[in-house]
């Protein structure tokens, strides 16, 4: 069955960096556009970024563009999210997903940005 397992979250100070990973299984990863979505405390799911197949073109939400970078390694069935210049408003549970709405997503990894 489809599995998406995120890791790499944690507590970081404002201005810091984290790298999230998501290992996928149960489907042909290299043929799928992959997404990152997040859910802040008390909020709904917010789409963050996507990476296409092949050459891996990327798209970002305005809130993270220029600070976050999404990459993929098809040999490892893994998608990454490098997060730099983190802000308190980036605090959320981050999920990788197979669709923009996050309907098919993993269990998530908590990112907390606080001094």
């Amino acid at each position: 069955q489809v599995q998406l397992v995120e890791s790499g979250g944690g507590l970081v100070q404002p201005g810091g960096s984290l790298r999230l990973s998501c290992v996928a299984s149960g489907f042909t990863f290299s043929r799928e556009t992959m997404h990152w979505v997040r859910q802040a405390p008390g909020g709904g799911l917010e789409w963050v970024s996507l990476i296409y197949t092949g050459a891996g073109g990327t798209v970002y939400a305005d809130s993270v563009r220029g600070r976050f970078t999404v990459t993929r390694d098809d040999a490892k069935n893994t998608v990454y999210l490098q997060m730099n210049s983190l802000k308190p408003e980036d605090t959320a549970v981050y999920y990788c997903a197979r669709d923009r709405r996050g309907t098919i997503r993993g269990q998530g990894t908590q990112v907390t940005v606080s001094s």
Side-chain angles (χ1 to χ4, degrees), residues 43-110:
L45 283 173
E46 176 191 11
W47 176 82
V48 173
S49 179
L50 69 80
I51 184 165
Y52 291 109
T53 61
T58 56
V59 184
Y60 299 93
D62 290 345
S63 57
V64 307
R65 189 177 297 115
R67 301 187 297 121
F68 290 12
T69 303
V70 58
T71 58
R72 66 190 295 158
D73 184 340
D74 289 346
K76 296 182 178 180
N77 281 8
T78 300
V79 59
Y80 304 96
L81 187 67
Q82 177 67 44
M83 306 187 296
N84 299 330
S85 303
L86 282 162
K87 305 175 181 180
E89 52 263 44
D90 293 319
T91 295
V93 178
Y94 284 73
Y95 304 89
C96 66
R98 293 181 67 184
D99 61 301
R100 190 183 185 99
R101 295 183 178 179
T103 305
I104 306 172
R105 64 183 186 270
Q107 85 291 344
T109 186
Q110 175 71 49

Side-chain angles (χ1 to χ4, degrees), residues 27-34 50-58 72 74:
F27 62 99
T28 306
F29 178 81
S30 61
R31 296 180 183 177
E32 296 272 342
T33 295
M34 294 299 297
L50 69 80
I51 184 165
Y52 291 109
T53 61
T58 56
R72 66 190 295 158
D74 289 346

